[in-house]
Each structure stands twice: as C-alpha cells, then as structure tokens.
Amino acid sequence: MPSAVLFSKISRHFGAVRAIDDLDLEIAPGEFFAMLGPSGSGKTTCLRLIAGFEQPTSGHLEIFGETMEGVPPYRRNVNTVFQDYALFPHMNIAENVAYGLMIRGVGKAERLRAAGEALEMVQLPGYGARRPGQLSGGQRQRVALARALVNKPKVLLLDEPLGALDLKLREQMQEELKVLQRTLDITFVFVTHDQGEALSMADRVAVFSDGKIMQVGTPQDIYQKPRSRFVADFVGSSNVLPPDFVETLTGLSLWASLRPEAITITDQGGYEAQAISQSYLGGSTRLGLSLNGLRLNAVVPAGKPVPESGETVRIDWDRNALHLMEAS
Amino acid sequence: MRSDRNTRAPVSLKIAAAGGLLFMHLPILLIFAYAFTTEEKSYQWPLPGLTLKWFAVTWNRPDVWQALGLSVRVAIVSTLIAVVLGTLCAGAISRSKFFGRETISLLVILPIALPGIITGIALRSAFNLADIPYSFWTIVLGHATFCVVVVYNNAVARFRRTSGSLVEASMDLGADAFQTFRHVILPNIATALLAGGMLAFALSFDEVIVTTFTAGQQSTLPIWMLEELVRPHQRPVTNVVALVVVMVTVLPILGAYYLTRDGDQIAGHGK
C-alpha cells in the first residue's frame, strides 16, 4: 500500500527564504500525524503543499501513490480545517457543510441530509439553520471539521486546529479528534506549535526547525530520546547538559538531555545544588536549581516539601534517565 | 473619557448649523418651485401663479426625450463597463502582490482626483489625434474613466474585509476558480458592487464637464439643460427636467448609502 503522503526531496523557496529545504517525509495511511515547530519553521508551508495551495520549488509530492505535480487544490482528495475556520459568512451552517457536495453536483435533499449527519458527528445537531456569526469559536471549529469530513477526504489537514480555543475546550476537542480519527480511519495531518497537543494526540510527530525536519518519531521517542538540543529544548522543558559536564558523568563528550521529572531530591549522595525559583503548577511544583552555575529544572510532586530559594539541596537522578544526543 | 452629558450644543451653534443646511438646500427647493410657475420668460418670486402645464409641455418635447434617452443609455453602459473593470481591478489589487501594484492602484484612482476639465481636454485631443469621430461611445469612454474608480473603491474595501482564506476554503472543497467566484466571491461583494454601480450611474447621469469635450453635437440631459437655461421661452421646462434628474440621481445614492452603511465608506462620493 502506498504512503498517504510522500515528500521526496521537496523544497519550497520564497525568494531567498527557504521555507522548506530538501525535505523527505512519509506519512502512513490512517496515521494521526503532527507537524510540530515554532512559527516560521515551515510546518504550515508543508501543510499548504499537501493541500495544493503551494507548489514545491523542487522535489516530488505523492498522495496515495498519485503524483500531485500540477494538480490544483480542487482536484485533490484532501480537505483542510483552516486556522480561522474560513466559514462562508453568507451561507448558513448546513449550506457551509454541504458546500463541497453542492460543487460536486449532489442533489439538494441528499447533500442536506449528509450535512445533517456530519453536524451530528461533530455534536452540533440541529444547528444547520444558524449563521456562522451566531456560533462560538468552538462551535465554528466543529462546523469547519464537519465541512471537511463530509467530503470523505483521504487526508484531512488541520492547521493549528485548537489554537483559538480555551484550555477546557481544547482538551475536549483533542479527545474528540482522536476518537473521530480512529472511527473514520482517515489520515489526519495537523500542524501545531503546542508540544503537549502534538504528544497527546499524534501517532507520530515531526519536529520542524528552519524548513527542516529535526526528528520524526512516536511521542515517546521524541520526548524521551531527543536527537538534538533543539528537540530536547522545544519538546517539553528538558534540561540540556553541555558536553564538558556530561564527560564528568559518563566519560563521553556529548550533549545530553535530562527530563525535569527524572531529577529527585535526596538526603545523601548525588550532587549539591542551590534552589533558585519555584513555580506552582497545581499537581506539582517546578523547581529551578543551580548546579555549579548550570541551570536545571526539576519537578517536585505535590505533597513533597519544596525547598526555599537559596536553600542548598542534594539532587540525584537515575543514570538511565540521562539521554545522550547524537547531534548537537 | 468623554462624557455624553456635556455634548449638548449651545443654541447659537444649532442656529448656525440650521442656517448652513438651509443655505445648501433651499435653492434646490426653489428650483422645484419654479417647475410649477405660470411665468415662462423669467424667474419671478413670489410665483405669480401655480400650474402643472409644464409637465405636459415637457412630456411633448422630443428634444427632452432625446437627451434623457442618451443620458440613460450612456449611464447604463458606463456603469456596466465600470462594474466589470472595477471589480476585476479590485480583485487583482487586493488578492495578489506584484511589482507596481501601488502604482496601478494610484493610476486607477487618479481620474477622480483630476479636474474634469483636464480629463475632458485630454480625451478630446486624444480623439482628435486618433481621428475618432464623436459618438455615443466617446461619451461613454469619458464617463467610464471616473465610474470605474467609484466601483473600484467600493469593491476594494469589500475585498479587504473578505478573508482570503474563504477563497482557499472554496478551492479546498472542490470548487474551481469560476465556481469560487460565483458561489463565494460574488455573494460577498454583491452589495458593494450594487452600491458602486448606483453611484457610478448617478455620477454619469449628471456629468457635464467631461461630456462637453467628448459629446460633439450630441446633448446629454445636463448639457441640454445648460443650453435651455439661456433661452427665453418655456423656462419652467428646465425646472421640470431638473426635478426629474434630482429624483433619478438621488434615489441611487440613497440606495447605495443604505446598502453599505454597515462599515463601508461610499468612496468617491465627491466627484
């Protein structure tokens, strides 16, 4: 079976700016795939290349084995949920959802029935007669989702789908998106700058920086075994240890990452460090430490005593938690 | 913070404002009043008597009908040209970025900033140089220069308010460029086009200066009125026509105002 999406040596340059540079990527059918990266890292350009709003400067793009060279957006079996939802303001919700079917010439009764079903699927039954302006942000998001899914695309693209929603709604939508993706068995590709979102929703994550993919892997891989300082830094607030310090620990002069939750406060052994800062996170407290001038973050679970600033504490970590990185 | 309580205007300001408004609008009412006068050789005040006969006289004058017909036809054709060209131009300017975009935008708007007499002289010498005889189409061409601007300004404002991702969403959902225009762009800019078109019609209908240079021997309604004013007989006929012209031009402007009052400026109003 061919890949859902296949990038071979794709570049997209805007003048001197290399939005995407010589990129290879393979997304499997039925996968929930996240493109994670800071703004300007090329992840949105990647999405627009798949949708067909951009053409690669060089390289080759395939969707389910078919080349996409010269294929306009309206001939691709791909639909997009836009960041600003892009609902048509002059149509009601049912007409919005039925738009793709109308364009394909599906009869009115049939397409309105399908739109009604799609609205039920996103838990907005009976909203068909309303106007986009009458809905909340979360509801508009669901309409945008229904409008894309009603066309039964092979690949669904989501551009920062949850960015504009508040925390509670975001967590709820994360769950629903996951359930929808499993039941519909459609390949989902979504772009986000929120690492928590990428890790919790995706089967695999690609971390972008400067038009290149720094690492592709499962959320566990990305989180526990970052390959470079950038990934360790960007995905969670990992402690990045410099080679000279790592050499004293392991004998190898390599950069290493150490997760905050791997650091524990002990009574004896380990290393002596100064507590610098505390931020209360609810379920735990993030503790800032200085180990001979090296800044470290640790996590103190709720219920354990939190050291005061300036206090000297002994810290230690499991040697296996130290992850050596191949790249700098 | 401004307090609403202190915004009551003093009586003197109110009187001044009322005076200003009366000064602007009373003469127009006077024109209407003379349409009903019994004196035909000069304008007397107070009116020596009231009559409706000038309406019948006007109705039976073929030169009035000819001028009115020409004006209406010119206005319709110029408006159509303006709507098509103005929309295309607004779409190009607001949808894409290209070298010289700002220059083109300025060049499109320029005719409305230029005094009509310059436009008129320029067109006249151009027609002479190219040996183009004066015709219906030379008048239309002159009017189209400023009608395009009105439509363009209205359309460009609406295009800016219409999110660009709507077009992408439409294409994403399977619509080609034509379907996207028909189902998404047009419904979103329709009222702006209607408003721009109505203004363009009104501008064309009462245009004098450019027309005098491009009409040759033909008379549009405003030009016919100018000629008629200096003749000593049946003067109130001009007033009857003026009444009709005001009705024909004010209604579209009011319509344009109501169609666009939620947000859009009626751009190019001041020609």
Side-chain angles (χ1 to χ4, degrees), chain A residues 57-106:
Chain A
T57 311
S58 63
H60 187 71
L61 174 69
E62 280 178 19
I63 295 176
F64 280 95
E66 282 175 48
T67 176
M68 286 297 122
E69 201 167 318
V71 179
Y74 50 87
R75 292 224 190 84
R76 297 186 181 201
N77 206 345
V78 169
N79 287 111
T80 309
V81 176
F82 289 83
Q83 190 172 8
D84 64 354
Y85 316 137
L87 301 182
F88 304 124
H90 59 289
M91 298 181 188
N92 68 25
I93 298 305
E95 288 165 343
N96 260 284
V97 175
Y99 185 81
L101 300 176
M102 178 198 73
I103 293 294
R104 269 194 269 147
V106 176

Side-chain angles (χ1 to χ4, degrees), chain A residues 129-156:
Chain A
R130 300 197 197 184
R131 297 257 153 192
Q134 295 171 297
L135 302 190
S136 71
Q139 290 170 330
R140 271 183 247 174
Q141 155 107 72
R142 286 159 191 269
V143 174
L145 195 60
R147 185 178 68 172
L149 288 174
V150 80
N151 303 295
K152 303 195 165 45
K154 284 182 168 169
V155 181
L156 182 76

